[in-house]
Amino acid sequence: MSDRSGNVHQVPASIASILGRRTGKTDGLGKSGAQVLLFDEYVLKIRPAEDWNTVDVQILEWLAGKAPVPQVAAHEVWNGQDWLLMTRLPGTELCRPDVMRNPVLLLDCMAEALHTLWSIPISGCPFERRVAENLSHAETAILSGTFDASDCEPETFGPGGFANPEALLLWLKNHLPPEDRAVTHGDFCLPNLFTDGKRFTGFIDVGSVGAADRWMDLALGWRSLKHNSDGHYGKVYPEIDPDDLFRAAGVPKDEEKLRYYLLLDELN
């Protein structure tokens, strides 16, 4: 556990032996729901053991040597919590203002991140991220009444959009596009991509990495560029055009796939 100053108390011995008397600070940028503490050289994630799928530990170990990701320094389930201590990536998130004011750097980093993943042979990827699985999870949430539409785009439901989540689910089932499969991040947004101010330096929050249509990452990256530049998060960067992501990545824009994977993400 930790107090507001970032001091960690009652930690597993394996983690205490590494952190010693270091003091961290709380990271409030992410939306994962885990408690995240930042140290000079490490990042500590603390999450409820019974409520958390810790496949991210397996993914980090699989990605080691294949892509720039944090290294697992220690991992332990203790006192009802899952404790994951990782090395800290160099640099800062792509959503930081100094990066957003440099569109060339921003887009070059996003393109390098995509091609880093796409260069990993899909034949050896043990993590499957099929669209059918996403649709199944969405259907379970809708039928159980646990689906929350509060984070959806305002145009998704209502006038000009879908009548309800059930209607969107049916449309997604009936319009499944052929999959252009590659190793994907699964949450390819600016806060999960890092740069040292010169080039791309790595990925964080890799729990959704797996073999999927590369357009999932392209769509989420496009939307992240849009939201981070059009005032959605409070700041406007008029020099950024989200469509430039496709030029930077060397992939022609596919309006149908872009729309499909943006809508798929609305239900997941």
Side-chain angles (χ1 to χ4, degrees):
M1 306 301 291
S2 69
D3 57 31
R4 292 182 179 180
S5 66
N7 292 307
V8 184
H9 309 289
Q10 300 177 343
V11 302
S14 61
I15 292 175
S17 67
I18 297 173
L19 290 181
R21 295 184 177 274
R22 291 180 176 90
T23 298
K25 65 177 182 178
T26 301
D27 177 22
L29 184 62
K31 297 181 179 180
S32 69
Q35 182 181 8
V36 179
L37 296 174
L38 303 178
F39 300 83
D40 288 342
E41 300 173 342
Y42 297 97
V43 176
L44 176 62
K45 272 191 174 183
I46 309 168
R47 52 265 182 110
E50 68 275 10
D51 297 330
W52 211 276
N53 180 355
T54 55
V55 70
D56 55 344
V57 179
Q58 301 170 43
I59 292 173
L60 283 171
E61 293 172 343
W62 178 74
L63 282 173
K66 301 180 180 71
V69 294
Q71 296 179 355
V72 177
H75 176 237
E76 190 169 338
V77 175
W78 181 80
N79 200 23
Q81 301 285 319
D82 181 275
W83 303 73
L84 173 59
L85 184 67
M86 302 168 285
T87 56
R88 188 168 177 175
L89 288 177
T92 59
E93 302 91 337
L94 295 193
C95 58
R96 298 296 184 182
D98 56 330
V99 183
M100 295 295 297
R101 289 191 292 265
N102 187 345
V104 173
L105 171 66
L106 174 64
L107 290 163
D108 283 351
C109 287
M110 294 185 77
E112 185 175 352
L114 288 168
H115 284 282
T116 296
L117 292 171
W118 297 346
S119 68
I120 301 173
I122 192 174
S123 59
C125 181
F127 309 102
E128 283 288 340
R129 307 296 183 193
R130 295 279 184 182
V131 171
E133 181 181 349
N134 286 2
L135 293 176
S136 177
H137 288 165
E139 185 166 25
T140 298
I142 291 170
L143 292 177
S144 66
T146 59
F147 174 72
D148 181 5
S150 63
D151 200 34
C152 292
E153 299 293 311
E155 65 273 14
T156 298
F157 301 111
F162 293 89
N164 49 49
E166 291 84 354
L168 173 53
L169 179 64
L170 181 61
W171 185 89
L172 290 168
K173 287 182 176 180
N174 291 336
H175 292 82
L176 181 65
E179 294 186 61
D180 179 13
R181 289 169 60 74
V183 174
T184 60
H185 183 277
D187 192 9
F188 192 84
C189 57
L190 302 190
N192 290 337
L193 309 174
F194 275 56
T195 180
D196 61 2
K198 297 179 181 179
R199 59 172 298 167
F200 170 68
T201 55
F203 303 95
I204 64 169
D205 288 348
V206 300
S208 296
V209 163
D213 191 326
R214 72 186 71 220
W215 271 91
M216 173 60 80
D217 278 357
L218 285 164
L220 297 186
W222 180 91
R223 187 181 64 191
S224 187
L225 270 177
K226 181 177 184 297
H227 281 176
N228 279 276
S229 63
D230 67 2
H232 184 88
Y233 296 126
K235 295 184 179 180
V236 176
Y237 299 91
E239 295 184 357
I240 294 176
D241 180 352
D243 283 357
D244 285 341
L245 174 62
F246 308 119
R247 173 196 55 77
V251 178
K253 185 179 182 181
D254 186 326
E255 294 280 6
E256 291 185 3
K257 279 207 164 185
L258 177 62
R259 180 172 186 249
Y260 185 91
Y261 282 101
L262 288 175
L263 289 173
L264 178 65
D265 191 63
E266 296 284 66
L267 294 186
N268 286 271

